[in-house]
């Protein structure tokens, strides 16, 4: 009787804890997507600010990209935007003290609104940028509307300037491509070496040798990633630069090499366990049929251990896709469109790691970084699902 | 038990009596403020506690009264001033020292000086080869800090005339990483705080008017000849002046300025 109650209790504890774990994981995912979705509902214009032109200006709206080019002084005339043939005069709130004295603004800034209004009225070709609060009661300017961003622009945009003022540029295509390239390269490098080492350790190496090798390789997993990053910056980056004869060593290739090394212990140790779990009578049967050791490994052991080997690969890829610190140090983080492996790239995890600490919680930049997290989540999920589906098909 | 309670009461009364001045803000100023505070605390004139967090954090804390002094490596923004005004506060600004930025290149590079316009061209991506600025025929590799750093913001506002960095500019997570990368890349150019100067890289002379090039030395920065200098500020509410004055006077004293110099910044 007591035994039965105790058993029920133990089973219950197991059920409840696994239930709670699943709920927590789900909540984290929901949180991620909830925060990330904010990116599509916030204006690209800096929060609480307005863009204003003189009321006689014929231009009514300006595309976000053009606004950036105006403030970069690549577009200098209203003519290029379909307006009058006059040079654009930029005005931002910080310039106010250059045009009006402290007395005119007032010691408590009480006349600031009027000063801004006067400035806009007196300068027909102005493009002013100032806080919404400072719109005067009798306002004579015309507000330029800046819309929100759609999913298409977010994913297809090619410029990542999340702190540009007054209008940010948030195109994540270069970041997605950078992440894919670095991860793909890492796997292409880690897979052959990892598999060969796992097979050697499980099937060929002397047990004593194996007992030394395995802990050493697993030790590699315990090294903090920033150490790998610095090692990469000091050793691998100059090496890549010299071997490939390029101007700059911080490239996708350098990132792939460092990540490949970091993914090795996961791949090796899981694949090796899978191979060692192949029942001995399978090997013996194969050898008894006259197969050589290599033939046994190739056509009996590996097919039997396949799902375990794939599990190692998936976990290794997961580490490569999500790794931040090491990549941040060695890939250069330039947000240009990558075309070859010998170019600096910016990955999604590195972007999140470098930028999230300084954003204001709830702002557009903050939401954009969470949206990047969602993209990363979807990328790894698609990969996992694909591998599992492929495995099931093969085993049938 | 009674003894413990008595001890607690004593501790509490001591804490209440001593005027504890709280300083919060810029991570750049943090080493200065900490060093100043530790010397000031020994003098017995009061106690100062210092925390970092960034210039924006310090100024925001000034609004909600969680700090007495805000340390900032940039001038207070108009929007922050508006927030303070709305909260019924007037702030006073004190410059406690300067931080100079120097532009560095690889020691093998023959270019020794650049104008502000050339720097702007290089970091916006318009100038791509060293031969365009009087150097060898070699591609320029420009290194910047990440956009979250105050150094990045200062460089963008003052050297690049508020223009955006080009998309091919590499961005590094730390000043140490910029020094390392510039040291091992022949065509590299980067910018660092002068306190981080390192023999593995070479500093460039900079000109803002296109004629007079100034070497980035501490003397030139102090005399105002070197242009890429940012003042370091402390802000406090005027209603709090009596409380914070002793510490600020101490920083501005000869002894306090010596500490500024010792930590690697430029005294005023």
């Amino acid at each position: 009787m007591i035994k039965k109650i105790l058993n029920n209790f133990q089973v219950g504890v197991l059920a409840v804890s696994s239930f709670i774990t699943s709920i927590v994981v789900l909540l984290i995912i929901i949180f991620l997507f909830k925060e990330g979705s904010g990116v599509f509902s916030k204006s690209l214009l800096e929060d609480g600010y307005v863009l204003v032109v003189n009321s006689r200006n014929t231009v009514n709206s300006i595309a976000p990209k053009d606004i950036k080019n105006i403030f970069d002084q690549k577009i200098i005339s209203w003519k290029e935007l379909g307006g009058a043939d006059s040079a654009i005069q930029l005005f931002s709130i910080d310039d106010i003290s250059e045009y009006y004295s402290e007395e005119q603004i007032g010691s408590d800034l009480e006349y600031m609104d009027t000063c801004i209004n006067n400035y806009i009225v007196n300068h027909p070709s102005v493009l002013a940028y100032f806080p919404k609060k400072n719109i005067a009661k009798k306002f004579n300017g015309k507000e330029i509307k800046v819309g929100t961003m759609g999913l298409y622009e977010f994913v297809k945009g090619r410029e990542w300037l999340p702190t540009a003022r007054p209008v940010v540029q948030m195109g994540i295509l270069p970041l997605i491509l950078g992440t894919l390239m670095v991860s793909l390269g890492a796997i292409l490098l880690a897979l052959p070496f990892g598999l060969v080492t796992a097979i050697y350790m499980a099937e060929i190496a002397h047990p004593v040798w194996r007992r030394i090798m395995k802990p050493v390789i697993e030790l590699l997993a315990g090294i903090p990633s920033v150490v790998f990053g610095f090692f990469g910056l000091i050793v691998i980056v100059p090496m890549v630069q010299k071997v490939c004869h390029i101007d700059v060593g911080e490239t996708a290739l350098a990132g792939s090499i460092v990540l490949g090394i970091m993914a090795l212990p996961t791949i090796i140790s899981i694949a090796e366990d899978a191979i060692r779990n192949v029942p001995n009578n399978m090997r013996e049967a194969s050898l008894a049929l006259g197969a050589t050791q290599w033939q046994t490994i190739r056509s009996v052991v590996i097919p039997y251990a396949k799902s375990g080997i794939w599990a190692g690969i998936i976990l290794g890829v997961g580490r490569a896709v999500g790794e931040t610190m090491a990549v941040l140090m060695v890939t250069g983080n330039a947000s240009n469109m990558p075309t070859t492996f010998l170019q600096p790239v910016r990955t999604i995890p590195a972007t999140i790691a470098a930028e999230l600490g300084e954003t204001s919680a709830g702002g557009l930049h903050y939401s954009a970084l969470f949206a990047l997290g969602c993209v990363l989540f979807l990328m790894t999920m698609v990969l996992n699902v694909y591998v599992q589906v492929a495995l099931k098909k093969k085993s049938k | 038990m009674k003894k413990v309670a008595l001890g607690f009461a004593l501790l509490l009364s001591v804490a209440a009596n001593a005027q504890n001045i709280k300083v919060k803000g810029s991570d750049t100023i943090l080493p200065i403020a900490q060093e100043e505070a530790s010397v000031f605390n020994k003098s017995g004139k009061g106690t100062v506690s210092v925390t970092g967090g960034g210039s924006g954090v310090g100024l925001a804390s000034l609004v909600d009264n969680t700090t007495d002094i805000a340390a900032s490596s940039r001038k207070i923004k108009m929007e922050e001033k508006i927030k303070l005004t709305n909260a019924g506060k007037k702030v006073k600004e004190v410059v406690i020292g300067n931080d100079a930025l120097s532009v560095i290149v690889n020691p093998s590079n023959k270019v020794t000086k650049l104008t502000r316009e050339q720097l702007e061209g290089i970091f916006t991506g318009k100038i791509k080869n060293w031969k365009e600025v009087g150097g060898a025929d070699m591609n320029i590799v420009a290194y910047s800090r990440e956009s979250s750093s105050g150094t990045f913001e200062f460089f963008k506002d003052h050297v690049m005339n508020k223009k955006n960095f080009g998309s091919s500019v590499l961005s590094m997570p730390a000043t140490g990483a910029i020094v390392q990368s510039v040291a091992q890349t022949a065509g590299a150019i980067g910018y660092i705080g002068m306190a981080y100067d390192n023999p593995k890289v070479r500093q460039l002379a900079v000109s803002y008017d296109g004629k007079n090039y100034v070497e980035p030395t501490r003397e030139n920065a102090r005399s105002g000849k070197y242009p890429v200098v940012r003042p370091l500020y402390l802000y406090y509410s005027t209603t709090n002046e009596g409380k914070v004055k002793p510490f600020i006077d101490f920083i501005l004293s000869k002894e306090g300025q010596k500490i500024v110099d010792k930590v690697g910044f430029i005294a005023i």
Side-chain angles (χ1 to χ4, degrees), chain B residues 132-163:
Chain B
E132 293 172 61
V133 292
D137 185 5
M138 175 168 62
N139 284 330
I140 295 177
V141 183
Y143 289 90
S144 158
R145 286 290 305 279
E146 279 292 347
S147 60
S148 54
S149 115
T151 319
F152 168 94
E153 211 157 298
F154 175 77
F155 196 83
K156 185 181 162 191
D157 284 357
H158 288 258
V159 180
M160 302 188 47
N161 229 347
K162 296 186 178 169
K163 288 180 187 159

Side-chain angles (χ1 to χ4, degrees), chain A residues 192-204:
Chain A
F193 289 107
L195 272 186
V196 164
T197 315
I199 293 168
Y200 173 75
M201 269 168 51
E203 293 290 314
I204 301 162

